[in-house]
Amino acid sequence: MRSFSPSSLLHLSIPLAALMLAVWAQWPRGPSVLDAADEWLRDRFVVAQAVDTPEPRILVVDIDETSLAAHPWPWSRERLAELVETLIGDGARAVALDILQGEPGDPAGDLRLAVLAGQGPLVLAQLFDYEQRPQALRFGRPAGGIPSAAAGGAVPAYGFIANHAGLALAPHVGNIGVRPDPDGVLRRVPMYTWFEQRRFPTLSRALLDCCGTPAAAPAPGPQDGYQRVPFSRSLDAYTVAKAGEILDGRVDPAMVAGRLVLIGSSSLSIGDRVATPLGRSSPGLLVHASMLTTLLDRQAGLAPAPWPGRLMAVLFASAVAALAGYTFARLSAAVNVLMLALASLTWALLAYGLSAHDPDFSVSGPLLSIAFLLAVGVPFHWQLAQSGSRRLLDTMRRYVAGEVVDELLRSGLKDPLAPRQLQVTTLIADMQGYTSQVEALPVEEAARLTTDFLDCLTRPVLENKGTLDKYTGDGLVAFWGAPIPNEQHADLALDAAARILREVAILSAARVRAGGQPLRVRIGIESGLAMVGDYGTAFRSIYTAVGDSVNTASRLEQAARDFPHDVIIGQGTVGYATRHRFLSLGRHALRGKEVPIELYTLEELA
């Protein structure tokens, strides 16, 4: 069976973990930090999507500051009844009174309101409390609702503030109790409330029921509980009439005819203000008006079609995780970061459109998955790439001068070890009489001699920006001009040869003083075109130079045994060198060469 390294397992597990985060985000759960991110994003969407297109089906009657100036608060029940009767007389389909009347008022006014609520299209308000308190709220007498042995999806309540007993027979009463989110913003309303074996509708639902529009009634089930208020229209979209002007007869009846009417107050002195996604201090009437618009849209078939938001979010996160699993190991960290940024932007645009079709999916779930890939996946693969680069650089520094490696990094070559045809100078050095030197020595001394001799050859090569090709037992092969082309390749190789001679002379003198035999190095140098790169098979590869100039350098090193000179130089190197002077040794035939060639040595070494 194929084995996986820990890094391979992590490579697979990171995208999988990101996907699992996206799935977890869509799974029903208790309150979490992710919910706060969801709501923040949805609030931004709500603000961007809210339109001010006029809403012709609803009229908001506002008991505003000017109305209170003309008719000071508190208003008598007679005045409230007069306001309602005027609206009904002007053709309102139904009227909802978003004002609690916990205490009895003037008898005549209470009687008029009771008659309007019992026989006319008037919906009263009552407030249910959803908090479990040491002392439950119990004020007034709840009205309306239908018997229900079980909640059936409705939100349980634990207390109430209702109207006085004189209004307890009203058939249509809407709940105005709400429970804001932990951040204090009101985003949902309980469509139905379950209290003392009865189900009570919210104010907007009760207003539609009062109109006798059962087609708009939802089937019992999940819609009974908390529902998100879309806030699809801004407050400017609603026709607002001042209550004082209606009482004074200064409002055109055409503005009222055929509309559903919500009566409430935006006055700060009355205090019906709540925080909503559209503002930190929105009139409470806006919440009921927005929910009423939603119910009317559903009734008319204008509501956005439901889409599977959770499924689409998981599918998007799956696609991003799969893409990341492919690109992380193949592209740079910067490109992967850009890819994840584009994925985040793409999801934000998709979620913006999807949010109107699914009020419950987690809009920040895919972003959480992307953030995980950004925080864990990108650094992990960057670290893997850095480790691989460090291993490659450490390996290259064994064969290439550090300055060349640094320049190689600065060059930005995509594949610096790929085979290329370059002008190079090859230096081949060997110890003369190596076998006779070591055959009489103990193994430890023979190994030490070999190491010391190779050190004398290697150090000058690397210090003069050369590339070490390979060791040949008691010698080496090196070249200049690759992997980074260098116009001074011939001069650098000659500098290294002169330095090698000095290093070997010092080592030889030390051996003679110790009673050993003197050492001699033979060096062949030639320049010309060569194919330089990483050659080999799946089992082993090597960075080397291949070409006629390399073969010639080998023949020159072998020819050095026939000359009193330690360095034999080909005519190609003489043509490229600019800083050295040469002594001609005449034309000589080399092994494997049909035509004799001119040989040289360094004049300063002659």
Side-chain angles (χ1 to χ4, degrees):
M1 294 182 63
R2 182 181 176 183
S3 60
F4 290 92
S5 65
S7 61
S8 298
L9 292 175
L10 281 173
H11 174 77
L12 295 174
S13 64
I14 288 175
L16 181 60
L19 176 58
M20 295 306 295
L21 277 176
V23 173
W24 169 81
Q26 303 304 327
W27 204 267
R29 62 190 183 281
S32 67
V33 175
L34 191 62
D35 293 331
D38 280 339
E39 300 302 351
W40 186 88
L41 282 171
R42 281 188 178 271
D43 289 351
R44 307 286 82 71
F45 295 163
V46 166
V47 172
Q49 292 171 344
V51 298
D52 56 4
T53 305
E55 168 58 279
R57 300 167 295 183
I58 299 172
L59 174 66
V60 175
V61 175
D62 186 14
I63 305 175
D64 64 344
E65 300 293 350
T66 61
S67 299
L68 295 179
H71 306 277
W73 193 261
W75 284 7
S76 66
R77 300 297 160 75
E78 287 278 359
R79 181 166 292 158
L80 286 174
E82 180 185 352
L83 177 62
V84 173
E85 288 172 349
T86 301
L87 292 167
I88 294 174
D90 287 344
R93 290 176 58 194
V95 178
L97 189 59
D98 185 18
I99 300 174
L100 290 171
Q101 300 163 82
E103 297 286 351
D106 53 288
D110 281 342
L111 179 59
R112 289 174 66 182
L113 284 177
V115 172
L116 287 169
Q119 301 178 8
L122 173 62
V123 178
L124 300 178
Q126 59 192 0
L127 183 151
F128 285 100
D129 182 28
Y130 303 99
E131 300 293 336
Q132 290 182 300
R133 306 176 189 275
Q135 183 66 39
L137 292 175
R138 292 287 194 277
F139 188 81
R141 183 180 298 179
I146 58 175
S148 177
V155 180
Y158 304 98
F160 61 86
I161 300 176
N163 298 310
H164 63 84
L167 301 175
L169 297 179
H172 300 292
V173 183
N175 169 45
I176 58 174
V178 293
R179 182 161 63 181
D181 288 344
D183 60 356
V185 178
L186 180 62
R187 301 183 179 92
R188 299 168 181 83
V189 296
M191 292 305 295
Y192 284 90
T193 299
W194 188 64
F195 183 76
E196 293 183 346
Q197 309 300 307
R198 296 182 72 83
R199 284 162 49 91
F200 299 89
T202 192
L203 187 66
S204 56
R205 179 74 257 174
L207 184 56
L208 281 182
D209 292 341
C210 178
C211 294
T213 55
Q223 295 187 79
D224 292 351
Y226 280 105
Q227 283 195 36
R228 187 181 294 275
V229 183
F231 294 106
S232 57
R233 283 180 166 86
S234 65
L235 183 59
D236 294 336
Y238 294 94
T239 303
V240 179
K242 297 180 180 181
E245 294 180 351
I246 294 176
L247 289 172
D248 296 339
R250 292 186 285 129
V251 172
D252 185 355
M255 181 187 295
V256 182
R259 300 194 188 215
L260 298 173
V261 180
L262 289 166
I263 301 176
S265 176
S266 65
S267 171
L268 294 176
S269 59
I270 297 179
D272 188 17
R273 291 266 173 176
V274 294
T276 69
L278 294 180
R280 301 304 299 181
S281 180
S282 301
L285 278 174
L286 177 61
V287 177
H288 302 301
S290 296
M291 203 66 229
L292 185 57
T293 292
T294 300
L295 295 175
L296 290 170
D297 285 345
R298 290 177 185 171
Q299 181 184 7
L302 301 176
W307 290 352
R310 288 189 173 97
L311 176 61
M312 295 176 72
V314 170
L315 290 177
F316 183 88
S318 302
V320 174
L323 180 63
Y326 178 81
T327 62
F328 276 2
R330 294 170 173 82
L331 302 178
S332 67
V335 173
N336 283 307
V337 169
L338 178 60
M339 182 269 292
L340 293 177
L342 291 175
S344 299
L345 178 60
T346 301
W347 171 249
L349 295 175
L350 289 175
Y352 176 83
L354 187 58
S355 61
H357 298 269
D358 188 337
D360 299 319
F361 78 101
S362 172
V363 296
S364 62
L367 297 180
L368 175 65
S369 177
I370 292 172
F372 176 82
L373 291 172
L374 182 62
V376 177
V378 171
F380 171 73
H381 285 87
W382 179 82
Q383 179 62 31
L384 285 183
Q386 289 296 101
S387 298
S389 298
R390 283 194 295 269
R391 287 194 298 270
L392 176 62
L393 292 177
D394 290 342
T395 299
M396 289 189 67
R397 283 192 172 94
R398 299 178 186 176
Y399 301 95
V400 183
E403 295 179 8
V404 176
V405 174
D406 295 338
E407 187 175 350
L408 188 63
L409 292 175
R410 290 192 296 269
S411 69
L413 291 177
K414 184 175 181 181
D415 189 359
L417 302 185
R420 292 184 294 163
Q421 191 172 49
L422 298 171
Q423 291 286 350
V424 301
T425 295
T426 304
L427 180 152
I428 299 180
D430 197 1
M431 182 191 296
Q432 181 171 298
Y434 176 76
T435 303
S436 63
Q437 284 277 4
V438 301
E439 63 183 3
L441 296 175
V443 174
E444 292 80 3
E445 292 186 23
R448 188 180 307 111
L449 171 61
T450 304
T451 301
D452 292 343
F453 184 77
L454 291 177
D455 186 64
C456 291
L457 306 184
T458 305
R459 188 166 49 251
V461 167
L462 297 181
E463 289 178 354
N464 285 278
K465 302 182 181 180
T467 298
L468 179 60
D469 185 330
K470 55 182 166 289
Y471 289 113
T472 57
D474 59 332
L476 59 71
V477 178
F479 52 83
W480 283 256
I484 295 296
N486 190 329
E487 294 181 356
Q488 301 182 46
H489 56 87
D491 287 309
L492 291 171
L494 295 170
D495 291 340
R499 175 70 182 276
I500 287 173
L501 292 183
R502 292 194 295 271
E503 294 275 348
V504 172
I506 294 172
L507 177 61
S508 177
R511 281 187 56 78
V512 170
R513 287 194 299 271
Q517 299 180 26
L519 301 176
R520 183 195 176 194
V521 61
R522 301 193 307 264
I523 299 175
I525 302 175
E526 179 60 309
S527 304
L529 279 175
M531 288 295 296
V532 187
D534 186 11
Y535 294 94
T537 66
F539 301 98
R540 185 170 181 176
S541 63
I542 186 173
Y543 186 73
T544 189
V546 179
D548 182 67
S549 63
V550 180
N551 294 332
T552 300
S554 177
R555 301 293 185 267
L556 293 174
E557 181 271 324
Q558 294 171 6
R561 70 185 64 180
D562 301 325
F563 291 92
H565 307 287
D566 296 328
V567 179
I568 306 300
I569 303 166
Q571 54 194 19
T573 300
V574 173
Y576 280 105
T578 59
R579 294 189 287 102
H580 294 81
R581 299 173 63 85
F582 301 93
L583 176 65
S584 174
L585 302 179
R587 300 180 67 84
H588 296 269
L590 300 179
R591 186 167 60 87
K593 298 288 185 179
E594 297 180 359
V595 179
I597 63 173
E598 192 79 19
L599 303 184
Y600 300 86
T601 189
L602 285 170
E603 186 176 274
E604 60 263 32
L605 300 178

